[in-house]
Amino acid sequence: MIELEDIQKRYVLGGETVTALDHVNLTVGDHEYVSIIGPSGSGKSTLMNIIGCLDAADGGVYRLDGVDIARYSQRQLAAIRGRKIGFVFQQFNLLQKLTAYENVELPLIYQGVSEKERRVRVGEALSRVGLGQRMHHRPNQLSGGQQQRVAVARAVVTRPSIILADEPTGNLDSKTTVEIMDMLEELHAQGNAIVLITHNPEIAARAPRCVHIRDGRLSEVEPGGSRAVEGGGA
Amino acid sequence: MKQSIKMALSSILSNKMRSFLTVLGVIIGVVAVVVLSSLGEGAMDSVTGQIEDLGANLMQVTVKTDRYTGIDLDNLASLADGETISAVSPVLSQSVTAKSTLDTYDCTLEGVGASYFYIRQLEVEQGVTVGELDNDLRLPVCVIGVKVADRLFGTRDVVGQSVSVRGYDLRIVGVLEEQGSSMIISDDEKIIIPFTLAQRMFGSTSITSFYASGASEDVMDQAEQRLRRFVSARVSDPDDDFSLTSQSAVLDMMDEVTATLTTLITGIAGIALLVGGIGIMNIMLVSVTERTREIGIRKAIGAPRSAILMQFLVEAIVLSVAGALIGLAVSTALLMALRGPMGIPTLAVSPGSATLALTFAVCIGVLFGIYPANKASKLNPIEALRHE
Ligand SMILES: Nc1ncnc2c1ncn2[C@@H]1O[C@H](COP(=O)(O)OP(=O)(O)OP(=O)(O)O)[C@@H](O)[C@H]1O
Ligand SMILES: [Mg+2]
């Protein structure tokens, strides 16, 4: 359960203040699938970094599963990133020197999972994304779609409750986009909460709930309300 | 831990040339230290061995004053009591030019008593030594070293021939066994004659230098005391007028030299490895910058600060230890190659210096790795992820 209350985030660049998040309120339930749509620079990534405990807000309260994350130490936040949250990025963010298998294995190593169990879980996660055959390829030997699958496998291998995807299909063609989206939706069907960030209205519309962001301000979009999205984009 | 070492190795191997250049400083430092200290130890061992070869019980007294000392052949002979001192022989050394019918040669002339050969443990290869009778009768005879024989006659088969020194024609009665090259005294380059003859030759009446040998190793202290008492009673200033050299005293001095050498080498080690360590720190800082994005990704997927710190620290340690190991290998090869030229067949990496080098390397890795590693672990994940 994600609860954002009055979250603010400002950046000061050369004396100029940019308000990236402006009094944001958002609640995402345990098994919810929410898409966040907005133009470039509207604060989507900033919001996701805060939800993912990668960044701290300047103001407001963020409760994760009922606990104010301000109470956590750096070490505990790292553990939360590892266990509760799975990230999928637009640029895949795989380690180029490691194979697909090793990339997926990495979060488990940081959690101190035994070698034997790692083998089982990594194999499971990779076959789940349909990459059972390419475990020992390096990212540069894989297509963009395949790399993103590895990233999804890495996100789910820790069995997180929340998947945060920041434009996961931004670098993919339409066919692979559909494949990745199907995969995310399958994860949702299996009980994960999903926060999907995109600026593609079609993709945003696949989610049961869609939130619009503009200049750091959130507004809910009615279900099936593609008009509201168009209106926000105009 | 196993994982961090694996990661460190793959990161180091992915950039072999740079890693090699980085550890070059450590390699050179380790080689300098190990080779220098092993050479020093080897040379010391060899010199110490030569001193021991001189005879464990050898003592030498040299009176430094020109005035009449009151030491004569009779009271000197009475010094040998058989219990503490087994034998005594006066010596009188001078540089001379020796002539044969064929050649001339600059060498050392030494006038000695009959027990000199016993005290110094010198043997003749041919003929006989200079004896009691030769001294009593002041006979113009000599025993020569092999080098003298070689230079003056071109052969060592010279017993019966004569050499001419300061107008004296000396009949050769013996040739000394070859001693080999020695750093201290070479008996190969000596002409040994009766002490009484040497006194006559140089117009000297007093005895200013003599050798004595202790009866056994256990009574060396008493033997030294006996010598000291004897000489002290016969010079005006017992503190300054004579010196007593024994093997143990020379060995003590050698220990001091070794200690100085060790301090010096430790100093060089410190500087060399400091330079190596700075090289490692430099490249680790570059590496942290280059891998900022990697650090961001690792943090995003749950790496705690300590894991990032360990990763870079282990990498620095692996680098410096690898440098030390390569350095030890190079040193081993170098020392083997130096065995011949240095004339020390036992030359090898001493265990002490190897341990020192490895310990230093780990310390350097930790010391110079901690700053870059800490910097990496403190990176803000967001900024790290934005990094290109
Ligand atoms: N580290 C930073 N320093 C200064 N300004 C920043 C920083 N990060 C974000 N911003 C600013 O905050 C605002 C929101 O940025 P954010 O990255 O969240 O946008 P976004 O919605 O993800 O855009 P895009 O769709 O292009 O990824 C932008 O105006 C951006 O310039
Ligand atoms: Mg963004």
Side-chain angles (χ1 to χ4, degrees):
Chain A
M1 176 91 142
I2 297 163
E3 293 168 278
L4 299 177
E5 240 172 61
D6 205 29
I7 292 288
Q8 296 152 54
K9 183 76 185 177
R10 281 179 293 274
Y11 292 106
V12 182
L13 256 187
E16 205 180 322
T17 307
V18 178
T19 304
L21 293 177
D22 191 4
H23 302 279
V24 165
N25 290 287
L26 178 69
T27 302
V28 179
D30 275 342
H31 306 289
E32 222 178 337
Y33 173 14
V34 187
S35 62
I36 297 175
I37 186 167
S40 185
S42 55
K44 303 185 293 295
S45 296
T46 307
L47 179 61
M48 190 178 105
N49 290 336
I50 288 174
I51 295 175
C53 300
L54 281 170
D55 205 356
D58 298 329
V61 179
Y62 171 21
R63 274 189 299 274
L64 185 61
D65 293 333
V67 184
D68 184 350
I69 64 140
R71 298 195 4 217
Y72 290 126
S73 66
Q74 284 295 324
R75 180 173 199 82
Q76 287 168 321
L77 286 176
I80 286 173
R81 285 199 292 271
R83 283 160 207 270
K84 286 198 179 178
I85 296 165
F87 286 96
V88 181
F89 300 94
Q90 178 175 355
Q91 305 88 344
F92 319 138
N93 279 345
L94 298 174
L95 296 187
Q96 297 299 319
K97 285 179 207 153
L98 304 186
T99 62
Y101 181 93
E102 290 165 334
N103 264 290
V104 177
E105 186 187 25
L106 207 52
L108 296 181
I109 291 175
Y110 288 132
Q111 283 179 28
V113 175
S114 75
E115 165 123 41
K116 206 174 132 209
E117 199 186 334
R118 290 205 302 263
R119 210 189 301 276
V120 175
R121 280 167 70 173
V122 173
E124 228 172 62
L126 279 169
S127 22
R128 210 158 145 189
V129 299
L131 277 181
Q133 305 304 313
R134 298 194 183 262
M135 286 192 185
H136 301 295
H137 287 60
R138 284 173 203 279
N140 59 13
Q141 299 165 321
L142 296 171
S143 74
Q146 287 168 336
Q147 289 188 51
Q148 195 61 303
R149 285 160 191 256
V150 175
V152 172
R154 182 180 64 185
V156 298
V157 76
T158 58
R159 298 176 186 149
S161 49
I162 304 165
I163 307 251
L164 299 178
D166 189 349
E167 307 215 28
T169 59
N171 286 352
L172 302 176
D173 62 25
S174 51
K175 183 170 160 275
T176 23
T177 296
V178 172
E179 283 171 17
I180 295 289
M181 287 310 298
D182 287 347
M183 208 146 51
L184 288 175
E185 277 155 23
E186 197 188 312
L187 290 172
H188 173 236
Q190 287 164 6
N192 276 302
I194 297 196
V195 178
L196 172 75
I197 285 173
T198 179
H199 53 228
N200 183 337
E202 253 175 70
I203 291 173
R206 291 176 70 137
R209 180 181 166 202
C210 182
V211 177
H212 191 241
I213 183 167
R214 190 186 178 87
D215 293 336
R217 272 179 237 240
L218 280 193
S219 55
E220 294 277 340
V221 178
E222 297 307 313
S226 57
R227 262 191 317 124
V229 173
E230 273 167 21
Chain B
M1 194 66 205
K2 202 182 113 205
Q3 287 295 332
S4 7
I5 290 177
K6 219 179 109 191
M7 278 195 297
L9 280 176
S10 77
S11 150
I12 289 165
L13 291 178
S14 72
N15 214 330
K16 292 192 191 68
M17 190 59 192
R18 187 168 88 183
S19 304
F20 174 72
L21 289 176
T22 304
V23 298
L24 201 56
V26 175
I27 295 176
I28 292 171
V30 166
V31 170
V33 171
V34 170
V35 169
L36 277 181
S37 59
S38 301
L39 268 183
E41 256 171 63
M44 282 301 170
D45 281 353
S46 134
V47 170
T48 307
Q50 283 172 9
I51 293 171
E52 278 162 1
D53 282 349
L54 287 180
N57 306 340
L58 183 74
M59 292 172 288
Q60 184 180 9
V61 172
T62 306
V63 179
K64 296 178 205 163
T65 169
D66 288 342
R67 275 168 292 158
Y68 173 68
T69 60
I71 302 172
D72 58 35
L73 285 171
D74 287 337
N75 57 30
L76 201 58
S78 68
L79 250 179
D81 59 357
E83 272 168 42
T84 55
I85 295 173
S86 57
V88 185
S89 162
V91 273
L92 179 54
S93 286
Q94 287 282 333
S95 294
V96 296
T97 304
K99 288 185 207 123
S100 73
T101 46
L102 300 169
D103 214 338
T104 63
Y105 183 49
D106 290 326
C107 57
T108 304
L109 187 86
E110 202 152 76
V112 303
S115 33
Y116 175 82
F117 296 89
Y118 161 75
I119 296 169
R120 291 278 330 277
Q121 299 177 356
L122 294 177
E123 305 269 349
V124 282
E125 174 184 294
Q126 285 180 41
V128 294
T129 58
V130 171
E132 203 110 23
L133 196 65
D134 302 318
N135 260 296
D136 288 349
L137 301 179
R138 214 174 275 148
L139 291 179
V141 294
C142 68
V143 170
I144 64 175
V146 285
K147 214 159 172 183
V148 180
D150 285 343
R151 291 296 295 268
L152 286 180
F153 299 97
T155 167
R156 294 180 183 182
D157 216 8
V158 293
V159 173
Q161 308 257 35
S162 298
V163 289
S164 156
V165 176
R166 293 202 164 202
Y168 287 78
D169 271 333
L170 304 171
R171 194 167 53 84
I172 300 170
V173 296
V175 178
L176 284 175
E177 270 182 0
E178 181 161 8
Q179 305 295 307
S181 76
S182 157
M183 295 187 192
I184 310 166
I185 312 154
S186 184
D187 292 306
D188 293 344
E189 295 168 45
K190 275 183 189 163
I191 296 178
I192 298 172
I193 61 171
F195 180 75
T196 49
L197 182 66
Q199 274 189 313
R200 163 82 48 92
M201 206 182 264
F202 302 115
S204 142
T205 49
S206 59
I207 296 174
T208 54
S209 182
F210 62 91
Y211 284 110
S213 84
S216 79
E217 266 180 72
D218 306 331
V219 298
M220 285 310 287
D221 284 349
Q222 291 97 301
E224 263 191 59
Q225 260 171 24
R226 188 172 161 83
L227 278 188
R228 226 172 258 289
R229 262 202 314 274
F230 171 81
V231 191
S232 298
R234 287 167 175 81
V235 294
S236 47
D237 181 358
D239 288 331
D240 278 339
D241 280 353
F242 76 98
S243 69
L244 194 162
T245 316
S246 63
Q247 192 202 56
S248 63
V250 176
L251 288 179
D252 282 353
M253 199 184 72
M254 292 293 290
D255 281 349
E256 264 173 54
V257 174
T258 311
T260 315
L261 208 69
T262 307
T263 318
L264 199 76
I265 287 165
T266 313
I268 297 171
I271 295 168
L273 291 170
L274 187 78
V275 172
I278 291 171
I280 287 185
M281 174 142 89
N282 184 33
I283 217 67
M284 289 308 295
L285 285 171
V286 171
S287 173
V288 168
T289 312
E290 276 178 358
R291 287 152 71 191
T292 301
R293 193 175 175 85
E294 172 190 330
I295 295 164
I297 295 170
R298 287 177 185 274
K299 287 196 157 187
I301 61 172
R305 271 191 57 181
S306 56
I308 305 285
L309 187 93
M310 270 313 264
Q311 183 190 341
F312 283 89
L313 197 56
V314 166
E315 200 172 313
I317 294 172
V318 168
L319 267 180
S320 57
V321 169
L325 290 178
I326 297 174
L328 283 179
V330 173
S331 308
T332 308
L334 212 60
L335 286 171
M336 298 246 266
L338 280 174
R339 277 179 183 178
M342 294 293 294
I344 308 172
T346 54
L347 205 56
V349 173
S350 68
S353 64
T355 319
L356 184 80
L358 280 176
T359 317
F360 249 121
V362 174
C363 294
I364 289 290
V366 173
L367 205 66
F368 291 92
I370 196 92
Y371 174 69
N374 188 44
K375 202 176 143 176
S377 76
K378 275 187 176 160
L379 282 178
N380 176 335
I382 301 293
E383 277 160 32
L385 276 172
R386 281 171 172 271
H387 197 269
E388 277 318 305

